[in-house]
Amino acid sequence: MHVSPVTMEASRALDAYAHSIPGGICETGDAECAYGQARLQGDVTTWLVFDVLPKHLKEGKFAQACCIAWGALYGLIRAGFDWDNHSRTLLIGAGWT
């Protein structure tokens, strides 16, 4: 299994190949909100930018807030690895090998 999404070029190549064969069919799929389904492995902390701080923190003594990230986030380097582990576990549990 690979953690990178299908590129537009690869998708078009697959379409072209499938349509060059009589009766050729191709399908691609994507997990909805994939990274958000996976829990992060290990301790990951992140700083919240002031614009997204809850009101009670903005008005309080905190100018910045640090929090523990529980779910994988797009842009976080290890998110792809954690999604890969999560999806592999689900697929093996469903009988895929």
Side-chain angles (χ1 to χ4, degrees):
M1 187 175 295
H2 198 304
V3 297
S4 296
V6 175
T7 63
M8 186 59 76
E9 292 83 5
S11 176
R12 288 182 179 155
L14 178 62
D15 287 340
Y17 178 74
H19 292 295
S20 70
I21 302 168
I25 297 172
C26 69
E27 290 184 24
T28 60
D30 191 15
E32 196 170 309
C33 300
Y35 284 4
Q37 297 177 27
R39 296 283 288 200
L40 287 176
Q41 304 299 310
D43 295 327
V44 178
T45 55
T46 184
W47 290 99
L48 296 176
V49 264
F50 187 77
D51 294 344
V52 299
L53 285 177
K55 186 176 180 179
H56 70 279
L57 291 179
K58 284 183 181 180
E59 295 172 348
K61 61 183 176 179
F62 301 104
Q64 292 182 322
C66 181
C67 67
I68 297 172
W70 298 103
L73 305 168
Y74 286 98
L76 187 62
I77 293 173
R78 78 154 302 107
F81 298 105
D82 292 334
W83 163 247
D84 186 46
N85 290 335
H86 174 71
S87 61
R88 180 177 287 122
T89 301
L90 291 175
L91 290 172
I92 290 172
W96 289 62
T97 56

